[in-house]
Amino acid sequence: MNYGEIKRTDVANGPGVRVSLFVSGCTHHCRGCFNSETWDFSYGQEFTADTEEELLKLLYPPHIAGLTLLGGEPFEPSNQRILLPFLKKVKERYPEKTIWCYTGYLLERELWEDSRARCEATDEMLSLIDVLVDGEFVQEKRNISLRFRGSENQRLIDVQESRRQRKVCLYEK
């Protein structure tokens, strides 16, 4: 897996000050995407053990609220397989920090059900994510006044509550 960027102090993609990882590779190709260069799976730099260690160190300070995954598309199967072991390390080392993830896939239709996004890593990856911002960016529904999302069709989902209830539960905080 490659990544396009690491933001050390991001305040736009989740609550508090966060570390954000922009992975490469996306098959959605949303019109108006703010990060279209990351559609290419080869864009950026290789995600290595050194990259993981760098991110884990960046997450250490108490003022860092957590990690946010964006893209590209973190839920492309090839990305999931690389991200899953890393997310396990994050949760093990920093159980108090939250993990947010942005995806163009819909939780109940494409991540819980058979789809091009589902693979052997999907369920466990979801078990490590606190909030999922799902849905493709839709240019016609763009709304710059929304918190933590770009278009009105996108949802902020409490993943763990949704998994418990086996239905989509919106993040309300």
Side-chain angles (χ1 to χ4, degrees), residues 103-115:
T103 181
Y105 293 108
L106 296 175
L107 177 63
E108 71 278 20
R109 288 193 211 151
E110 296 166 299
L111 299 179
W112 281 346
E113 303 296 328
D114 285 339
S115 75

Side-chain angles (χ1 to χ4, degrees), residues 125-145:
M125 190 161 144
L126 285 168
S127 78
L128 300 168
I129 293 170
D130 298 288
V131 174
L132 186 72
V133 182
D134 82 341
E136 291 185 5
F137 172 76
V138 177
Q139 181 71 39
E140 295 75 24
K141 295 183 179 186
R142 181 174 180 258
N143 182 339
I144 61 171
S145 69

Side-chain angles (χ1 to χ4, degrees), residues 75-78 80-81 111 115-123:
F75 273 97
E76 293 292 350
S78 59
Q80 289 182 59
R81 293 178 181 110
L111 299 179
S115 75
R116 67 186 167 110
R118 260 191 85 69
C119 69
E120 72 285 350
T122 305
D123 290 334

